[in-house]
Amino acid sequence: MSKNWRPATKLVHGGTLRSQYGETSEAIFLTQGFVYENSAAAEARFKGETDGFIYARYGSPTNDMFEKRMCLLEGAEDARATASGMAAVTAAILCQLKAGDHIVAARALFGSCRWVVETLAPKYGIECTLIDGKDLVNWEKAIRPTTKVFFLESPTNPTLEVVDLEGVARLANQVGAKVVVDNVFATPLFQKPLELGAHIVVYSATKHIDGQGRCLGGVVLSDKEWIDANLHDYFRHSGPAMSPFNAWVLLKGLETMALRVKQQTENATKVADFLANHNAVAKVIYPGRKDHPQADIIARQMTGGSTLVAFELKGGKNAAFAVQDGLDVVMISNNLGDAKSLITHPATTTHKNLTEDARVELGISPGLLRLSAGIEDADDLIEDFDRALSKVGK
């Protein structure tokens, strides 16, 4: 297998395992267990002396194909597929920490991610410091002798802030901490955190990897040494394994991911430009625009914009609700990365459990909307927004 394949080819052919029947489409191995030729073979497999599968909670041929394909795309040595994106985040963080350890996390996180580091981890004696991740000085100031993990997402959900991954990784390496990056908004097509110095990458495969609203999934990627030492036993014994059926669905999703993300990004760019020139819109935040506050960092570490656009309406919550309700093509949903365009009001959905002060601190105003651009015709999306925005004034 050529490792020089370009991403679109890896997404179609990477990690494929064919049975003796020579199937074109990857097979689904819907089995929870496996049989052995004899007692000695079972013993050898459990000892790790021979390769093979033992139990679907540990791994299966279909899951193995998905993990290998993701490794090729990400440039990682090893991976574990999980039942959801949050299972991936939780596993990546908790598997390497113990009571007394310390996490430094960017405060601009998806609501459930903040809950893991801010509420769950402290229940097990793991402390967390939340910072403004845009400034490297804040990362440095937050370091303690017990700091073991830096956790961030970039671009962030929902305000599309960007964190300097190389800078954060450099600081982490100085103190022996591991950098965990949630790379969902950039996708592995536009940003390679491992190449920028991060140690662990997590995805909600529910988003762009499936990209068609069909199933849940997640994945944790890193070097083999870290996974063997930290994630392997946690994964086997705590049970966040992905269903083989979902792994098969996600393999099918990967085949078209490059095409979908390309179209979604083109659409996001066009819609962002339209919104930026509309009088009802106070501001637009999009990594593909030159007016993004961190355009210099984006130019260094990303090869494309994003499928997501954040924009704030002048009329606050009432205007945001009116625009959402006035859309015809774009649907209201808290999901993202789908082939269908989706819009979210973060203050009342994905980030509603944050305090009002925390939302203000993150820039999640009552008038903020998050668009996940789909693969529809861009002109139809722009016309849809033009009609909806007319309800709150030109």
Side-chain angles (χ1 to χ4, degrees):
M1 180 178 291
S2 171
K3 291 191 175 180
N4 294 323
W5 285 345
R6 291 165 181 82
T9 306
K10 291 177 182 177
L11 287 168
V12 175
H13 296 289
T16 299
L17 171 68
R18 289 189 173 87
S19 74
Q20 68 271 31
Y21 301 111
E23 62 277 352
T24 300
S25 178
E26 298 84 357
I28 311 174
F29 291 87
L30 287 177
T31 179
Q32 80 276 45
F34 302 85
V35 298
Y36 313 95
E37 291 183 3
N38 51 52
S39 301
E43 181 183 31
R45 195 170 299 179
F46 270 79
K47 283 183 174 181
E49 296 173 350
T50 60
D51 292 332
F53 299 100
I54 295 173
Y55 192 57
R57 176 156 52 86
Y58 307 161
S60 78
T62 313
N63 292 41
D64 189 57
M65 281 189 278
F66 173 67
E67 291 165 354
K68 282 184 167 57
R69 190 169 294 180
M70 285 300 303
C71 283
L72 283 170
L73 179 63
E74 192 67 39
E77 291 180 355
D78 205 359
R80 292 292 183 274
T82 60
S84 69
M86 284 313 306
V89 169
T90 305
I93 292 172
L94 293 186
C95 77
Q96 58 181 317
L97 296 174
K98 65 183 184 305
D101 288 342
H102 176 239
I103 304 167
V104 180
R107 66 192 183 198
L109 294 171
F110 173 55
S112 293
C113 292
R114 273 191 63 148
W115 184 87
V116 169
V117 297
E118 198 174 18
T119 303
L120 180 63
K123 291 182 178 181
Y124 299 98
I126 301 164
E127 297 182 300
C128 176
T129 301
L130 291 172
I131 61 165
D132 180 351
K134 299 190 300 297
D135 191 340
L136 288 178
V137 172
N138 296 332
W139 293 94
E140 188 171 16
K141 287 181 177 178
I143 293 171
R144 303 177 187 174
T146 54
T147 300
K148 301 299 182 185
V149 167
F150 286 3
F151 178 50
L152 61 100
E153 55 189 48
S154 182
T156 62
N157 181 4
T159 54
L160 297 165
E161 294 177 359
V162 173
V163 178
D164 183 348
L165 298 185
E166 285 185 314
V168 171
R170 186 167 56 250
L171 291 171
N173 288 334
Q174 290 173 5
V175 296
K178 297 296 184 183
V179 178
V180 181
V181 177
D182 181 338
N183 201 43
V184 167
F185 272 38
T187 82
L189 295 169
F190 292 154
Q191 185 168 267
K192 303 287 189 184
L194 297 179
E195 293 180 4
L196 294 166
H199 305 95
I200 301 106
V201 180
V202 295
Y203 288 100
S204 170
T206 311
K207 310 303 189 291
H208 302 92
I209 292 170
D210 172 27
Q212 291 155 87
R214 299 169 297 190
C215 70
L216 299 175
V219 63
V220 183
L221 303 107
S222 186
D223 61 81
K224 191 174 188 309
E225 181 181 359
W226 182 86
I227 285 184
D228 286 348
N230 297 278
L231 184 58
H232 181 73
D233 285 343
Y234 177 99
F235 185 85
R236 285 170 65 104
H237 300 304
S238 65
M242 177 183 288
S243 156
F245 180 80
N246 285 16
W248 180 81
V249 173
L250 293 167
L251 280 165
K252 297 292 96 185
L254 284 174
E255 291 181 355
T256 61
M257 183 179 173
L259 297 171
R260 286 184 282 105
V261 168
K262 179 176 184 292
Q263 183 65 44
Q264 289 168 315
T265 304
E266 289 177 0
N267 285 352
T269 301
K270 292 176 180 177
V271 173
D273 289 344
F274 166 78
L275 292 171
N277 291 307
H278 200 286
N279 289 335
V281 177
K283 67 176 178 179
V284 170
I285 310 168
Y286 181 63
R289 286 178 57 86
K290 292 180 181 179
D291 59 2
H292 190 285
Q294 297 146 299
D296 57 334
I297 299 175
I298 293 167
R300 292 201 311 267
Q301 70 184 32
M302 294 178 68
T303 58
S306 177
T307 66
L308 283 299
V309 180
F311 62 101
E312 185 175 350
L313 294 166
K314 295 177 181 177
K317 178 181 175 181
N318 289 340
F321 273 28
V323 168
Q324 281 198 142
D325 294 345
L327 292 166
D328 181 34
V329 178
V330 183
M331 299 180 295
I332 300 171
S333 175
N334 53 290
N335 197 21
L336 61 94
D338 199 277
K340 300 177 178 69
S341 290
L342 307 174
I343 196 161
T344 304
H345 185 248
T348 55
T349 57
T350 56
H351 291 72
K352 75 175 183 63
N353 289 330
L354 298 180
T355 65
E356 184 176 352
D357 288 344
R359 287 196 294 270
V360 169
E361 189 177 54
L362 294 173
I364 303 173
S365 69
L368 185 77
L369 290 170
R370 185 195 72 194
L371 169 68
S372 173
I375 63 172
E376 303 95 343
D377 189 291
D379 288 338
D380 286 331
L381 295 177
I382 290 170
E383 289 173 7
D384 201 29
F385 273 105
D386 195 30
R387 284 191 300 270
L389 286 163
S390 69
K391 298 179 182 298
V392 295
K394 288 285 186 181

